Amino acid sequence: MKNKFFILVILFQTVDLALSTPKKYESIFNFGDSLSDTGNLLLSGALVFPVIGQLPYGETFFQHATGRCSDGRLIIDFIAEAFSLPYLQPYLAVKQGQSSQHGVNFAFSGATALDAEFFFQRNMGSILWTNNSLNVQLGWFRKLKSDLCSDNESCDDFFKKSLFLVGEIGGNDYNYAFFLGGSIKQLQSMVPSVVGAIANATSALIEEGAVELMVPGNFPIGCSAVYLTLFESPKKEDYDRHGCLKAFNGFAKYHNSQLKQALDTLRQKYPHARIFYADYYGAAMRYVHAPLHNGFYGGTLKACCGGGGPYNFNISARCGHPGSEACKDPSVYSNWDGIHLTEAAYRHIALALINGSSSHPPLISSPLSD
């Protein structure tokens, strides 16, 4: 009964959102990693047997795998819905002839904010999933630009009606380094470079004609099943009262504070542009703090799909691999596979971005609606 009530509440929220949000964007362009990839990794053929290309991935909404690293829709999908736009085509599908009229998704699972060279120079290159960094994705956008508009005037007209999402990205830069044994102190020295890469990409897009850009911060990684499993501690004091690892959440907050400062600098440099900070951390912590209130009766720390263990994350039996199993109702879990979130969690975060509770300034208050 509780589950049915939660679903009804979300349905009414979504309907209300669609009715109250002006249709001001005619296209969306997204850059990022697996948190917003809608099929580029799958289409690239980079993995011989990609688990994201088969169920249970995609089971909730699409009823088939789409290349999204979740059971259903992602934040980018809900944003598109809110502005009555079709789901974004992955760039590699557009290259094969799909329409780019309403925008393109350049996000690529495993992507980093920093170029691959950074990791190879530090003997971390072997762990990279892909070389399609944020800079590479910007290159894809520039290649496609001539198909979208023909001169400065038409490009300015086209892009002023577009929303650009720059991330979330940067999480993998830290994931790769942490998973190879880097300490929090060591990784803090990476933050200026990662934030600088995100800021530079945002700046480059403004120079290309973008005027409305949303730049998300990092999630509370200390509440993620993969971190809770790999960095389990015997010390009670290492955890907050919700069961998250305090030090890793502190690191995420440090990254976010540096990113917000960088965006403030960009706002001063480009006063004509509207740059939104998307507070993914705050939006996620709301349901971590009150899981039952938000309908997550299965919890917020344990993965829905996995191969066992305290957080249902097993590196040798990850979701979709032999030995793993998906929960019966992903809508009552916030964590999908130990690394990525469920559709229910992404919906929760997307609503917070659209209504302004986790977007600074609020996305719906933009003056550029005509």
Side-chain angles (χ1 to χ4, degrees):
M1 190 67 185
K2 285 181 178 178
N3 293 357
K4 288 179 181 176
F5 174 75
F6 173 65
I7 290 166
L8 281 172
V9 168
I10 288 297
L11 267 174
F12 285 127
Q13 281 181 312
T14 306
V15 169
D16 181 61
L17 180 64
L19 290 174
S20 63
T21 304
K23 187 182 177 181
K24 59 185 174 184
Y25 298 122
E26 295 181 5
S27 58
I28 299 174
F29 296 91
N30 183 71
F31 304 80
D33 54 25
S34 59
L35 299 178
S36 59
D37 183 357
T38 54
N40 280 316
L41 174 64
L42 193 61
L43 287 169
S44 74
L47 298 178
V48 182
F49 300 108
V51 294
I52 59 168
Q54 60 192 33
L55 295 173
Y57 285 87
E59 67 176 17
T60 294
F61 178 77
F62 300 99
Q63 275 93 54
H64 63 89
T66 63
R68 290 166 173 80
C69 295
S70 181
D71 63 304
R73 289 165 290 183
L74 312 178
I75 293 169
I76 186 66
D77 296 314
F78 288 112
I79 291 175
E81 282 183 9
F83 293 101
S84 302
L85 292 171
Y87 299 132
L88 292 191
Q89 289 290 340
Y91 170 70
L92 295 183
V94 171
K95 275 186 72 179
Q96 295 169 9
Q98 294 290 327
S99 171
S100 57
Q101 180 186 359
H102 295 294
V104 179
N105 193 348
F106 301 96
F108 202 100
S109 297
T112 51
L114 297 170
D115 289 335
E117 183 185 6
F118 175 92
F119 299 93
F120 281 103
Q121 287 175 349
R122 290 157 180 79
N123 297 317
M124 293 191 288
S126 61
I127 198 174
L128 292 181
W129 273 38
T130 178
N131 292 341
N132 293 323
S133 66
L134 185 53
N135 258 337
V136 172
Q137 295 174 33
L138 277 173
W140 290 346
F141 169 74
R142 291 186 176 111
K143 282 181 185 176
L144 191 69
K145 189 178 176 183
S146 60
D147 294 336
L148 300 170
C149 49
S150 54
D151 52 41
N152 287 342
E153 188 177 348
S154 63
C155 286
D156 286 347
D157 186 57
F158 186 85
F159 292 137
K160 76 179 182 182
K161 300 170 186 174
S162 304
L163 174 65
F164 288 76
L165 282 96
V166 189
E168 186 275 337
I169 196 159
N172 284 325
D173 299 66
Y174 305 133
N175 289 342
Y176 293 138
F178 276 132
F179 298 165
L180 286 173
S183 68
I184 287 176
K185 189 174 181 181
Q186 288 171 327
L187 263 72
Q188 281 179 336
S189 66
M190 278 180 67
V191 173
S193 297
V194 172
V195 167
I198 298 168
N200 288 341
T202 306
S203 176
L205 287 168
I206 295 171
E207 296 288 349
E208 293 285 352
V211 290
E212 291 221 352
L213 308 96
M214 175 169 274
V215 186
N218 206 344
F219 278 110
I221 57 175
C223 304
S224 174
V226 61
Y227 275 84
L228 288 164
T229 300
L230 297 181
F231 303 104
E232 187 178 7
S233 172
K235 299 177 183 176
K236 257 188 174 181
E237 60 268 27
D238 289 343
Y239 296 86
D240 66 17
R241 61 192 179 93
H242 306 289
C244 303
L245 286 162
K246 290 191 285 189
F248 287 102
N249 275 357
F251 177 83
K253 287 197 282 189
Y254 176 68
H255 165 88
N256 293 343
S257 68
Q258 296 300 302
L259 179 60
K260 284 189 277 188
Q261 286 180 30
L263 296 183
D264 283 340
T265 301
L266 288 179
R267 290 184 186 108
Q268 293 171 15
K269 184 177 179 181
Y270 301 106
H272 72 285
R274 192 166 174 83
I275 303 171
F276 308 87
Y277 172 71
D279 183 12
Y280 282 12
Y281 186 101
M285 287 307 289
R286 285 192 191 95
Y287 62 69
V288 171
H289 290 163
L292 299 183
H293 176 75
N294 290 285
F296 295 117
Y297 305 109
T300 57
L301 306 183
K302 191 175 179 180
C304 162
C305 181
Y311 303 99
N312 199 29
F313 181 82
N314 184 337
I315 199 73
S316 61
R318 299 187 306 279
C319 182
H321 289 84
S324 69
E325 188 178 356
C327 63
K328 289 181 179 178
D329 186 0
S331 72
V332 299
Y333 286 78
S334 65
N335 194 299
W336 167 242
D337 59 7
I339 301 171
H340 309 98
L341 303 181
T342 58
E343 175 180 286
Y346 285 137
R347 180 195 282 114
H348 177 95
I349 294 163
L351 286 168
L353 300 181
I354 301 293
N355 69 29
S357 62
S358 291
S359 172
H360 312 286
L363 188 57
I364 60 173
S365 70
S366 169
L368 303 174
S369 55
D370 300 321

